[in-house]
């Protein structure tokens, strides 16, 4: 049965990669951020297994030469097609390497591309691969941080000059004329046939500014084909959820993460961020559709098929911060096309892909009130009936740190000085304690799905933060309030909550039951004191393989790990010079070997894990001897 399922999975994978009549990639490649357009982050390669993964060694590394200075980390995931690895660097270069050896095939410095500014910045998360449409040669599609999109010949790196204006599409045109300012693409462009779909991230404080609307562009010409308003305009569906005038010139909500594509139905699934003004909602009374939501759009027209809002009238910074993952769920004798969506609120939603309805049910539960002047918080928030929360949603006094008597005493004082009323405690005019913290429970890496094992894997963090609302005014906004965050840490610098502070877990997709959950990450100095492994804050995602090995970096302890998918047992690890705040990938080289790759650089340096000596962003690749 397992061999049959694996063969079916390979066939489905090959079919998934059809675009405009051309095969995008083979089953040994990794052609997108999540491998397939469904963002499953699963590979059908099985050379590396729980029995031999301990033999994994570094095969080669590539030093970008770009300094490791970004506090968020580098965050990119390379792609591999036809034994060529492609990725952007933090210094604004696009690199193509021989995937077997790490030798450069070509390199394009975006600073030298006509039509781009002197410092165009990096392409967020990575680049996209378009196989062409039978006439066009395969290309690398790049969305640059400064608000431009371009295409490079996959073999040579030559700029495709028939795209947009002499090879460059200015994504700011049509959306920034009134306010100007920054426009940053939130992800590599999603590809459906000859259409590239892109959204913008947006600032979160202030009311007015650049919209975060998804748009579709013709890959042959650069022409904009459609635009979807993430804040409904008069006459559009769901208009009215922002009050009488709250929709006008509203900044965002945009998307920070990659988009999932269902090629069979021509649907794109987009995780949207929170509304602005983010901490104070008096200018936006109502639920604020489509903020903090998953939306399903027609890939050709941009028309809305459905949406599901995970946080109403978001005052918590609980936007939908991870790529949607498309999978099938077998329930009550039926196969249900589904979307798995993790959130910063520490929940995993399993939604019907055709309707957006929670497959295992949900309920609206009463949540605490807000106290900012004039604020009307949503009286309820949605909670799935299954699965259970994937991160800690609240904290009792009995769950405070026991690392030492001094830690317990100090943490009790912090706890007693803040209001904590359970899940969805908002930022208040007095100190409040939030779980999960504003960094979220669910990581931006999102869910990973193994179609053979039927497991969904997620990595999370369970730490809190203290906050208080203070007056705020931006140059183009009304008077408002914004949160000031304060640590919820003990005297030694560790979280005041009892561990685990970071976890990785497996959830049965067909029952929504947790199969296993174990700490992810370690503080070796605490382990040396006899304290069980605590887990660590993490950001990034995992990948699953047909060999039954789950790979993940993401943690603040600079370690890349492999787990047994069936049991959660940690099988192998490699300590890196810096953090791997990214999602890894795997591929088969021309020599037949299965490789696993990740990156390392600065980022997520919290809780007694300071950044090491300044270094550079690098790619590291592993293989069996």
């Amino acid at each position: 049965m397992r061999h049959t399922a694996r063969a079916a999975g390979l066939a489905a994978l090959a079919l998934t990669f059809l675009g405009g009549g051309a095969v995008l990639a083979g089953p040994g490649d990794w052609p997108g951020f999540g491998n397939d357009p469904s963002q499953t982050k699963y590979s059908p390669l099985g050379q590396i297994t729980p029995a031999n993964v301990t033999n994994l060694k570094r095969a080669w590394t590539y030093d970008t030469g770009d300094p490791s200075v970004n506090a968020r980390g580098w965050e990119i995931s390379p792609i591999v097609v036809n034994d060529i690895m492609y990725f952007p660097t933090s210094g604004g270069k696009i690199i193509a390497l021989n995937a077997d050896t790490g030798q450069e095939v070509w390199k394009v410095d975006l600073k030298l591309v006509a039509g781009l500014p002197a410092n165009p910045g990096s392409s967020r998360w990575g680049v996209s691969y378009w196989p062409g449409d039978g006439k066009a040669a395969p290309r690398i599609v790049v969305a640059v941080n400064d608000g431009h999109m371009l295409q490079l010949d996959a073999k040579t790196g030559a700029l495709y000059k028939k795209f947009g204006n002499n090879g460059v599409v200015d994504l700011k045109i049509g959306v920034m004329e009134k306010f100007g300012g920054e426009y940053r693409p939130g992800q590599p462009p999603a590809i459906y046939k000859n259409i590239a779909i892109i959204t913008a991230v947006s600032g979160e404080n202030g009311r007015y500014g650049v919209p975060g609307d998804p748009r579709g562009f013709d890959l042959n010409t650069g022409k904009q084909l459609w635009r979807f308003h993430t804040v409904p305009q008069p006459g559009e569906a769901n208009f009215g959820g922002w009050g009488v005038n709250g929709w006008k010139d509203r900044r965002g909500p945009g998307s920070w993460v990659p988009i999932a594509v269902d090629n069979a139905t021509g649907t794109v699934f987009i995780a949207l961020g929170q509304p602005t003004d983010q901490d104070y909602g008096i200018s936006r009374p109502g639920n604020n559709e489509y903020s903090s939501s998953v939306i399903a759009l027609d890939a050709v027209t941009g028309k809305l098929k459905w949406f599901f809002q995970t946080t109403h009238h978001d005052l918590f910074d609980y936007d939908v911060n991870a790529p949607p993952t498309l999978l099938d769920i077998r329930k009550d004798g039926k196969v249900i096309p589904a979307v798995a969506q993790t959130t910063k609120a520490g929940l995993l939603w399993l939604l019907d892909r055709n309707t957006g309805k929670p497959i295992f049910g949900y309920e609206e539960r009463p949540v605490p009130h807000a106290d900012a002047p004039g604020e009307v918080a949503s009286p309820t928030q949605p909670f799935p009936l299954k699965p259970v929360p994937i991160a800690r949603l609240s904290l009792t006094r009995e769950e405070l740190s026991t690392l030492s008597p001094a830690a317990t005493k100090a943490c009790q004082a912090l706890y007693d000085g803040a209001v904590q009323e359970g899940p969805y405690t908002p930022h208040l005019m007095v100190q409040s304690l939030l779980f999960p913290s504003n960094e979220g429970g669910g990581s931006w890496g999102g869910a990973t799905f193994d179609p053979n094992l039927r497991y969904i894997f997620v990595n999370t963090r369970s730490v809190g933060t203290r906050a208080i609302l203070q007056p705020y005014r931006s140059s183009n906004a009304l008077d408002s309030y914004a949160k000031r965050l304060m640590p919820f840490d003990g005297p030694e610098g560790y979280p005041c909550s009892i561990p685990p502070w970071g976890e990785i877990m497996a959830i049965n997709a067909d029952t929504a039951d947790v199969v296993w959950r174990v700490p992810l990450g370690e503080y070796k100095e605490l382990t040396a004191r006899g304290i069980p492994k605590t887990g660590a804050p993490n950001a990034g995602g995992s990948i699953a393989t047909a060999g039954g090995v789950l790979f993940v970096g993401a943690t603040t302890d600079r370690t890349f790990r492999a787990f047994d998918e069936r049991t959660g047992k940690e099988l192998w690890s490699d300590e890196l010079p810096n953090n791997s705040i990214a999602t890894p990938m795997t591929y088969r080289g021309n020599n037949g070997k299965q490789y696993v790759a990740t990156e390392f650089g600065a980022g997520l340096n919290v809780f007694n894990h300071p950044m090491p000596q300044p270094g550079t962003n690098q790619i590291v690749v592993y293989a069996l001897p």
Side-chain angles (χ1 to χ4, degrees), residues 72 443-444 459-461 501-504 518-523 533-542 552-561 563 570 573-584 598-607 609:
R72 286 186 58 90
S443 170
W444 59 254
N459 52 288
T460 67
R461 47 184 161 186
W501 301 320
E503 291 181 284
I504 190 164
V518 298
L520 174 63
E522 182 180 14
Y523 293 90
K533 190 176 291 187
T534 62
N538 55 86
S542 64
V552 63
T555 55
T556 55
D557 59 7
R558 308 170 200 145
T559 301
F560 188 50
R561 292 179 166 87
F563 291 84
E570 185 174 320
S573 66
D574 184 36
E575 188 170 342
L576 299 169
N578 213 329
N579 292 329
S580 178
I581 307 303
T583 297
T598 191
E599 54 84 5
F600 59 84
L604 202 65
N605 302 293
V606 294
F607 302 144
H609 277 165

Side-chain angles (χ1 to χ4, degrees), residues 459-479:
N459 52 288
T460 67
R461 47 184 161 186
S462 290
V463 294
T465 189
R466 296 178 298 143
I468 191 169
L469 286 178
Q470 296 182 326
Y472 168 84
R473 181 179 180 85
S474 69
S475 59
N476 63 355
L478 302 173
D479 287 327

Side-chain angles (χ1 to χ4, degrees), residues 327-332 334-339 351-354 357 359-360 454:
L327 64 150
D328 289 336
I329 288 176
R330 301 166 185 169
K331 183 174 182 286
D332 300 329
K334 299 178 181 179
V335 177
I336 305 171
V339 180
L351 307 174
D352 187 305
R353 202 186 312 166
N354 294 320
K357 295 180 179 179
I359 293 170
F360 292 92
R454 312 293 305 153

Side-chain angles (χ1 to χ4, degrees), residues 134-318:
K135 298 179 181 178
R139 302 176 198 145
I140 302 302
V141 187
V142 182
V144 186
N145 240 5
D146 80 314
H148 289 87
M149 185 161 55
L150 52 91
Q151 296 182 67
L152 305 173
D153 185 280
K155 288 186 177 181
T156 67
L159 181 68
Y160 177 64
K161 294 194 174 183
K162 294 182 179 179
F163 185 64
N165 182 10
N166 201 32
V168 176
V169 169
D170 189 341
L171 298 170
K172 300 182 290 295
I173 295 175
V175 295
M176 294 189 66
E177 281 76 0
K178 186 169 185 177
F179 293 102
E182 184 182 60
Y183 182 99
R184 285 193 298 137
Q187 62 286 122
I191 308 297
Y192 176 73
K193 296 185 177 181
N194 68 321
I195 302 172
I197 298 103
I198 194 78
T199 69
V201 301
S202 58
E204 296 172 323
N205 283 315
R207 170 179 169 181
Y208 303 108
V210 176
D213 299 345
R215 292 181 289 164
F217 292 85
D218 188 313
L219 281 163
N220 285 310
T221 66
K223 177 184 177 181
Q224 180 177 307
L225 302 175
W226 55 262
R227 172 178 174 180
F228 175 79
H229 294 130
T230 58
V231 177
Q233 309 293 292
E236 295 179 345
N238 300 302
F239 175 73
W242 297 76
V244 176
N245 296 312
W247 60 275
K248 290 184 177 178
D249 298 326
R250 173 69 62 177
R251 191 181 196 178
S255 179
W256 301 78
V257 291
I259 295 167
V261 181
D262 185 340
N263 280 333
T265 63
T267 308
V268 294
F269 300 86
I270 304 174
L272 288 176
Q274 67 179 118
T276 56
D277 204 350
Q278 70 166 344
D279 302 317
Y280 185 50
I282 193 172
S283 69
R284 48 179 175 89
N287 278 350
N288 309 147
E289 297 86 353
Y290 304 101
S291 68
S292 301
S293 299
V294 185
I295 60 172
L297 305 180
D298 185 288
V300 175
T301 66
K303 291 183 178 179
L304 180 72
K305 293 188 175 183
W306 56 258
F307 79 99
F308 182 81
Q309 189 171 57
T310 64
T311 301
H312 309 316
H313 190 75
D314 195 341
L315 302 170
F316 317 91
D317 201 357
Y318 281 168

